[in-house]
Amino acid sequence: MTPSPERRRELLDTAAEVFAAQGYNATTVRKIADAAGMLAGSLYYHFDSKESMLDEILSAFLNELWDGYDTVLAAGLGPRETIEALVTESFREIDRHRAAVAIYQKEARTLSAQPRFHYLSDSQVKFEKAWLGTLERGVAARVFRADLDIRLTYRFVRDTVWVAASWYRPGGQHSPEEIARQYLSMVLDGIAVRP
């Protein structure tokens, strides 16, 4: 009998929450099984290792993220609209994959040194290129200020968006789109009242 895709998804969601809360190295198969309400040995019916579970969690998140980002980048939007769409897509991904985002933030640097997880480094390079390119395009088009330090701006925007995974909870008071709108208002227009 083959495990159902729904059960695999439930187990991956549980594993993601445990990895996010405890860290990859501190998480054992037994801890994941306990959280899933099953025997540790039963997890091996679905996955061959905790590394396989983590790989599936991170690759699913990044594949979905890049589907959304690639759509935005191919849309031919202006630089400001591209930044707005990328930030909105990022918050949607945090909504869909909050635990995976938290894992990625904590573990990507260490994991990317392993051949199985080299795609994490590749994704980071692609991510940086997309954001830096959009910011550079905005400065060149005089949509963004000429005195911006592009790399510092990129790091600020990246970090303040993705850190939301530490406090955001799906189904909360604000939708991902509402949070993105507020965030974009602060980033693009500032918080001070203009005279």
Side-chain angles (χ1 to χ4, degrees), residues 71 94 96 108 110 114-115 145 161:
T71 299
I94 291 169
R96 289 188 283 254
T110 305
Q114 300 176 30
R145 293 186 348 231
V161 167

Side-chain angles (χ1 to χ4, degrees), residues 1 75 114 128-129 146 157 178-179 190:
M1 187 171 175
Q114 300 176 30
E128 188 171 299
K129 183 178 174 185
V157 173
E178 290 170 324
I179 294 170

Side-chain angles (χ1 to χ4, degrees), residues 35-186:
M38 63 193 310
L39 298 173
S42 300
L43 263 181
Y44 292 108
Y45 177 65
H46 302 274
F47 306 96
D48 64 2
S49 65
K50 76 172 188 172
E51 183 180 59
S52 292
M53 286 184 267
L54 183 63
D55 187 10
E56 200 166 326
I57 291 163
L58 291 175
S59 61
F61 155 60
L62 289 172
N63 287 338
E64 191 171 309
L65 174 72
W66 280 108
D67 284 347
Y69 272 23
D70 288 341
T71 299
V72 167
L73 295 169
L77 302 171
R80 181 180 174 118
E81 293 77 17
T82 300
I83 292 291
E84 290 171 347
L86 289 173
V87 167
T88 302
E89 188 59 35
S90 298
F91 278 108
R92 287 179 182 141
E93 288 305 313
I94 291 169
D95 183 62
R96 289 188 283 254
H97 298 284
R98 187 203 55 77
V101 172
I103 296 164
Y104 181 85
Q105 288 179 320
K106 292 178 194 171
E107 311 282 355
R109 184 169 299 178
T110 305
L111 289 171
S112 62
Q114 300 176 30
R116 181 173 192 161
F117 293 99
H118 189 71
Y119 65 87
L120 298 175
S121 294
D122 295 340
S123 185
Q124 181 57 39
V125 168
K126 186 177 174 184
F127 188 84
E128 188 171 299
K129 183 178 174 185
W131 284 83
L132 288 174
T134 302
L135 290 167
E136 288 167 355
R137 198 165 51 95
V139 169
R142 295 191 170 118
V143 175
F144 302 140
R145 293 186 348 231
D147 66 336
L148 283 184
D149 179 314
I150 300 296
R151 188 160 289 282
L152 187 59
T153 303
Y154 156 68
R155 288 179 177 151
F156 171 76
V157 173
R158 175 198 66 195
D159 292 351
T160 53
V161 167
W162 292 108
V163 78
S166 67
W167 56 262
Y168 179 80
R169 294 295 174 262
Q173 182 179 355
H174 302 289
S175 72
E177 294 78 12
E178 290 170 324
I179 294 170
R181 268 194 305 279
Q182 284 290 316
Y183 175 82
L184 285 162
S185 172
M186 288 182 279

